Amino acid sequence: MARAHLTQHYEQLLGLEPPWRIQEVDLDHDATEVRIRIALTTRGRLRCPVCQALCGRHDHRTRRWRHLDTMQYTTILEAEVPRVRCQEHGVHQIEVSWAEENSRYTALFEALVIGWLHETSTLAVARQLRLSWDQVAGIQARAVRRGLARRVRRSPTAIGVDETSFQKRHEYVTVVNDLDEGVVLHVADNRRQEVLESYFEDLGPKGCAALENIAMDKVYRLLGRPIAMGYQGCNFTYGDTKTPVPIHTYASLAKQVVDRWYKSPGHKKNLLNPKFRRLGSGVGIDPNGPACGDFYLTQNFAD
């Protein structure tokens, strides 16, 4: 009777529904493992996971999944999972409710891993949960795929573009964010100009026309006027010397602007005037200017 209660207990915890049931629960003290054997109770036809058509059985495979620990014991689920032969899609393993296809972990265990990844590093999660770095990375990759499959396509009006290094070898990715919704829209390897062009091409003319603001820490030479009309290349020049403006970060652009103001007697005089206690600067953009528009840098002073 006690064993029957134990199997019912685990069936409820796992959320099992017919035709699956708990066949046996074994406790291995030497291996510090709880092994739960799950059995399929029906002998009838089963559904193809691709098209949901009822199909005959082809064979079965013994599968194992790691589940949430029971006390201090590692918990393992075991089941013989049938494969069906679909006339349209061939041989496929049927779906199980507790785990994703090709995963060696239950959905609840993967959710635990993802929760910890929000708090600490991959290495720390692997160490605490007795996993390898690659196993944690695989769980993370599956979570990303599930999130992308659920994501509703957006037409943002304000985006932020940033590049970030994720390895000590200075490997970079380019990230596009929706600044209004606070979500990531696009991630791609490297930080080349073509990466951003591919995002705008995927967004399409209508999506590009909806963009009102683009914030980036680097001036990409690809944004035409307006952005929806083909992303023509832009070569900015200084208004006084007509020399080309190099690609800048915000910091390097600010430094060069101040350096140029220091070389101008009038601007330098204002910068060094001791009666001004408040100093500021601003950037103005005239989109109706030639080529990519006119940019104005201004000084602001107050005593």
Side-chain angles (χ1 to χ4, degrees):
M1 182 66 68
R3 184 169 292 274
H5 283 307
L6 181 62
T7 57
Q8 292 175 6
H9 172 75
Y10 273 108
E11 284 178 354
Q12 292 175 6
L13 290 177
L14 290 171
L16 289 186
E17 295 181 354
W20 296 100
R21 66 175 180 84
I22 300 292
Q23 184 179 46
E24 189 176 10
V25 178
D26 286 338
L27 180 62
D28 188 332
H29 290 288
D30 293 333
T32 62
E33 280 188 359
V34 174
R35 287 189 285 271
I36 303 172
R37 294 187 176 86
I38 303 174
L40 186 66
T41 58
T42 181
R43 294 183 177 275
R45 292 162 66 84
L46 301 169
R47 294 192 180 278
C48 168
V50 180
C51 64
Q52 298 301 309
L54 287 172
C55 307
R57 302 190 188 202
H58 177 71
D59 60 10
H60 64 265
R61 299 288 177 88
T62 301
R63 297 288 312 277
R64 289 166 55 90
W65 302 266
R66 181 175 171 186
H67 187 52
L68 301 174
D69 290 353
T70 301
M71 305 298 185
Q72 71 273 28
Y73 281 49
T74 300
T75 303
I76 303 297
L77 307 187
E78 296 181 354
E80 290 189 352
V81 183
R83 296 198 302 168
V84 296
R85 180 177 292 278
C86 176
Q87 291 185 352
E88 183 176 355
H89 300 105
V91 176
H92 284 278
Q93 179 180 282
I94 68 169
E95 296 176 331
V96 296
S97 61
W98 58 86
E100 184 177 328
E101 183 182 8
N102 298 323
S103 174
R104 295 167 58 191
Y105 308 94
T106 66
L108 287 174
F109 185 84
E110 292 202 352
L112 174 69
V113 173
I114 296 303
W116 274 111
L117 284 172
H118 284 290
E119 304 296 333
T120 187
S121 68
T122 300
L123 184 61
V125 174
R127 184 170 56 247
Q128 292 301 316
L129 296 180
R130 306 183 301 281
L131 298 168
S132 70
W133 193 97
D134 287 338
Q135 287 170 330
V136 176
I139 291 172
Q140 184 180 46
R142 284 190 290 275
V144 171
R145 286 197 295 269
R146 290 193 296 270
L148 291 175
R150 293 193 303 266
R151 189 175 67 176
V152 177
R153 188 175 181 86
R154 299 174 182 271
S155 295
T157 60
I159 62 172
V161 180
D162 196 9
E163 58 189 39
T164 182
S165 172
F166 67 97
Q167 296 281 12
K168 292 182 178 179
R169 299 188 298 274
H170 298 293
E171 296 184 21
Y172 289 88
V173 293
T174 296
V175 182
V176 180
N177 300 289
D178 186 325
L179 298 179
D180 293 323
E181 299 294 332
V183 297
V184 175
L185 299 174
H186 180 74
V187 179
D189 287 330
N190 71 57
R191 51 178 177 173
R192 293 198 300 267
Q193 173 177 316
E194 293 80 7
V195 171
L196 203 53
E197 287 179 337
S198 68
Y199 170 71
F200 289 131
E201 289 172 0
D202 183 62
L203 197 59
K206 290 184 178 179
C208 291
L211 289 172
E212 298 175 359
N213 295 289
I214 303 174
M216 56 183 71
D217 67 350
K218 180 176 180 180
V219 178
Y220 289 84
R221 297 183 182 277
L222 58 87
L223 300 181
R225 182 182 60 85
I227 192 173
M229 293 180 60
Y231 337 118
Q232 298 95 340
C234 292
N235 293 309
F236 297 100
T237 59
Y238 292 109
D240 52 353
T241 64
K242 304 304 180 183
T243 56
V245 178
I247 293 177
H248 281 291
T249 63
Y250 286 139
S252 67
L253 177 60
K255 182 179 183 302
Q256 187 165 52
V257 168
V258 173
D259 288 343
R260 288 173 64 83
W261 279 339
Y262 254 71
K263 293 176 182 178
S264 167
H267 291 89
K268 183 176 181 180
K269 180 179 179 181
N270 288 331
L271 287 171
L272 300 179
N273 191 329
K275 77 174 185 178
F276 293 134
R277 298 184 179 182
R278 299 179 181 178
L279 287 77
S281 61
V283 178
I285 304 174
D286 177 12
N288 295 317
C292 301
D294 293 327
F295 288 72
Y296 300 94
L297 298 169
T298 63
Q299 292 176 309
N300 302 283
F301 302 92
D303 55 19

